[in-house]
Amino acid sequence: MTAGISAPDVDDLTAEAWRRIRSISEDPGVEAASHRVMHETGLTGGPMKALRFLPLTGSLPMRGLSARMGCDHSYVTSLVDTLEERGLAHRESHPTDRRVKVIVLTEEGRRLAGRVQRAYTTPPATFTVLSDAEVATLCDLLRKLDPAGD
Amino acid sequence: MTAGISAPDVDDLTAEAWRRIRSISEDPGVEAASHRVMHETGLTGGPMKALRFLPLTGSLPMRGLSARMGCDHSYVTSLVDTLEERGLAHRESHPTDRRVKVIVLTEEGRRLAGRVQRAYTTPPATFTVLSDAEVATLCDLLRKLDPAGD
DNA sequence: TATTGTTATACTCTATAACTATA
DNA sequence: TATAGTTATAGAGTATAACAATA
């Protein structure tokens, strides 16, 4: 019976779940927060991206930043040049290996980087529609999908 | 009791769910499939992106493509130039409005665009770890998070 | 000899503005 | 006058290759 309308196939549901995961992950709020910082500071996308990957405390070698960003080290040179010109970071020489230069955020750089990094890690407001139990269930299912963690 | 270890806070779980959604959505398989096509054809990212948004059957005005891609129409001109040079698409004039040109994929363009579009819509293999019921639950929770659909 | 960072250079992505043809 | 597409141009992201200093 009810031959005309069939129950949703699991393949369809999987495709829908996948589409929604991609859709939700493109949170306009992240965009908006980044844009706000770019507008306030006049920074362009490259240096902004660097701010996302720089540690708020301590330091990181140039090489470490290119690894985190997944880009060439020559690009990091120009990125850190810009950050230094804006007074957001500076280079220091490595204490034991003099080939290495490490990047350290300034006070202002740390404030900005904090804002940018928070924009990327703060869940969108839409999550409040879920009950605590639903959040737990969702998290559990996502863990199964991505067992390696992160 | 058990004062030392506390149960995971719902905020922590929300943050974790958000992080995992972003992580899962960056499926390396999509990258890989796109890269394969780029390597085979020598196409760069711009024309590849156009292939993602072009209809496999029928046609689309230049203006429609810039709207779908969210880019300026002047950029579409150069993108479709490239597609035409490679024999993947051609322009036709609109039957009633002679200002408009529509884009039509060639046979080869359709094959390529199909591969690219499938790469973007096919769920990663990891989804097979979930039971049918789990997929349904996941989909249901994601619908709540993103009620507008897509 | 291998590695870190820099420089010079070039390619790709993409927008803005001015322009042409058509509505 | 408003709209579709094109052209010229420029800026921003990013890589490659050659190079200097250090290990």
Side-chain angles (χ1 to χ4, degrees):
Chain A
M1 39 213 68
T2 68
I5 298 175
S6 48
D9 186 274
V10 67
D11 287 341
D12 293 340
L13 284 179
T14 304
E16 182 183 339
W18 174 231
R19 178 169 47 79
R20 286 185 188 278
I21 282 178
R22 292 178 70 89
S23 168
I24 293 166
S25 74
E26 289 163 12
D27 175 35
V30 175
E31 266 304 287
S34 284
H35 244 118
R36 215 149 37 231
V37 174
M38 289 171 81
H39 193 262
E40 284 173 29
T41 61
L43 287 175
T44 58
M48 282 289 294
K49 189 172 171 186
L51 251 22
R52 273 181 58 196
F53 291 97
L54 249 10
L56 297 184
T57 61
S59 65
L60 185 70
M62 303 287 283
R63 217 74 181 186
L65 184 54
S66 63
R68 286 191 187 192
M69 291 181 63
C71 72
D72 194 86
H73 39 280
S74 66
Y75 183 41
V76 167
T77 295
S78 67
L79 256 21
V80 175
D81 283 350
T82 302
L83 258 21
E84 276 195 327
E85 283 160 17
R86 305 302 184 92
L88 302 176
H90 56 88
R91 291 166 166 94
E92 291 178 9
S93 41
H94 191 280
T96 66
D97 187 339
R98 293 201 325 211
R99 291 172 305 181
V100 176
K101 292 174 189 167
V102 300
I103 314 159
V104 183
L105 287 171
T106 64
E107 188 60 37
E108 192 192 346
R110 191 137 45 86
R111 271 197 300 273
L112 241 37
R115 280 176 65 189
V116 174
Q117 292 179 21
R118 266 193 304 282
Y120 272 86
T121 54
T122 303
T126 178
F127 274 85
T128 56
V129 305
L130 299 185
S131 70
D132 290 7
E134 285 174 326
V135 169
T137 303
L138 174 63
C139 202
D140 193 52
L141 292 169
L142 293 171
R143 277 184 194 143
K144 290 186 184 176
L145 276 180
D146 187 25
D150 233 345
Chain B
M1 35 215 75
T2 68
I5 299 176
S6 49
D9 186 274
V10 67
D11 287 341
D12 293 340
L13 285 178
T14 305
E16 181 184 338
W18 174 231
R19 178 170 46 79
R20 286 185 187 278
I21 282 178
R22 292 178 70 89
S23 168
I24 293 166
S25 74
E26 288 162 12
D27 175 36
V30 174
E31 266 304 287
S34 284
H35 245 117
R36 214 149 36 230
V37 173
M38 289 170 81
H39 193 263
E40 285 174 29
T41 61
L43 287 175
T44 58
M48 283 289 292
K49 188 172 171 187
L51 251 20
R52 273 182 58 197
F53 291 96
L54 248 10
L56 297 184
T57 62
S59 65
L60 184 71
M62 302 288 281
R63 217 74 182 186
L65 184 54
S66 64
R68 286 191 187 192
M69 291 181 63
C71 73
D72 194 85
H73 38 280
S74 66
Y75 183 40
V76 167
T77 295
S78 66
L79 256 22
V80 175
D81 282 350
T82 302
L83 259 21
E84 278 197 326
E85 284 159 18
R86 304 303 183 93
L88 302 176
H90 56 89
R91 292 167 165 93
E92 291 178 9
S93 41
H94 191 279
T96 66
D97 187 338
R98 293 202 325 210
R99 292 173 305 182
V100 176
K101 292 172 189 168
V102 301
I103 314 160
V104 183
L105 287 171
T106 63
E107 188 60 36
E108 192 192 346
R110 190 137 47 84
R111 270 198 300 272
L112 242 37
R115 279 177 65 188
V116 174
Q117 293 179 21
R118 266 193 304 282
Y120 271 86
T121 54
T122 303
T126 177
F127 274 84
T128 56
V129 306
L130 299 185
S131 70
D132 290 7
E134 285 174 326
V135 169
T137 302
L138 174 63
C139 201
D140 193 51
L141 292 169
L142 293 171
R143 277 184 194 140
K144 289 186 184 175
L145 276 179
D146 186 27
D150 235 343

